[in-house]
Amino acid sequence: RARTAILISGRGSNMMALVEAARAADFPAEVVCVVSNRADAKGLEFAAANGIATRVIDHKAYPSREAFEAALDQYLRSMHVEAIALAGFMRVITAQFISGWDGRILNIHPSLLPAYKGLHTHERAIADGAKVAGCSVHLVTPELDGGPVLLQAEVSVLPGDTPDTLAARVLEQEHRIYPQALAWLANRIIEDRE
Ligand code: GAR
């Protein structure tokens, strides 16, 4: 199984979906740690309660983005991590960090990329009168929300939707496609080993 780290900043519902999926003995990834840049991230409690190593690496405790990322990188290496899943991790990561993980970082984003990169995706989709919204899992490259898309799921935007109601409908799909995308990456990593 591919040793996987999940990076969060908050609630961690996508992290929970990945942890649940990885409970199956035949799932190709194993969640070895959950890292948060915020000590108050709700998801940390779930991870700890499920016997997963947790670590807070607070970006505010470092003098620069590079120093923060060096600490993060060092921790992930110490855990012999092979794949990284960003799951509501709200820090931009640099090209230098990404280059050390060569095609092994996934992100989930709440839009049908390349539409609505960045923040407030649902608010923007509703304001535009979009009829369809959704989510994407992509490989992380230095371009923000710009790496190759592995999987997407669509949902209808319904009359009367608010950013919150739309987000909830999209989130159900996030929880469905993220484990599938992680399984794909994990299988690729396992094949590379052989
Ligand atoms: C998810 O909807 C995720 O797609 C989004 O934040 C939420 C995190 O929820 N990510 C981004 O906006 C990345 N820019 P979660 O903590 O419950 O998984």
Side-chain angles (χ1 to χ4, degrees):
R1 310 222 282 161
R3 294 177 62 82
T4 303
I6 306 177
L7 274 50
I8 66 171
S9 297
R11 177 178 59 183
S13 72
N14 277 290
M15 174 272 294
M16 294 176 201
L18 295 175
V19 168
E20 301 286 358
R23 285 214 173 103
D26 61 350
F27 193 78
E30 160 189 15
V31 181
V32 296
C33 55
V34 171
V35 181
S36 173
N37 65 306
R38 298 180 54 121
D40 62 357
K42 274 272 155 227
L44 287 170
E45 294 161 26
F46 174 91
N50 281 271
I52 297 168
T54 61
R55 176 64 69 101
V56 174
I57 303 179
D58 180 354
H59 60 280
K60 292 199 262 12
Y62 296 87
S64 64
R65 197 177 286 278
E66 288 69 24
F68 163 66
E69 288 184 350
L72 178 59
D73 196 79
Q74 189 175 38
Y75 175 68
L76 298 173
R77 305 278 173 204
S78 78
M79 295 298 284
H80 304 286
V81 163
E82 299 172 281
I84 301 173
L86 307 181
F89 183 67
M90 302 311 264
R91 301 298 301 166
V92 169
I93 54 180
T94 66
Q96 198 199 335
F97 180 91
I98 294 166
S99 69
W101 292 92
D102 180 35
R104 289 162 176 246
I105 311 178
L106 296 179
N107 183 41
I108 185 140
H109 184 76
S111 77
L112 295 171
L113 291 171
Y116 305 118
K117 296 176 179 180
L119 299 177
H120 310 298
T121 54
H122 303 307
E123 201 176 306
R124 287 151 62 206
I126 289 171
D128 287 349
K131 292 282 180 282
V132 178
C135 50
S136 308
V137 181
H138 65 94
L139 286 170
V140 173
T141 63
E143 190 201 338
L144 184 68
D145 299 327
V149 171
L150 300 179
L151 275 178
Q152 291 185 314
E154 293 185 354
V155 308
S156 299
V157 181
L158 301 179
D161 257 339
T162 64
D164 284 352
T165 59
L166 179 55
R169 194 173 316 115
V170 170
L171 195 63
E172 287 178 27
Q173 297 303 313
E174 296 185 36
H175 297 164
R176 190 175 63 78
I177 67 171
Y178 210 175
Q180 295 176 8
L182 177 59
W184 174 85
L185 176 63
N187 278 320
R188 226 190 48 179
I189 288 170
I190 293 165
E191 278 168 28
D192 277 0
R193 279 194 208 133
E194 287 158 4

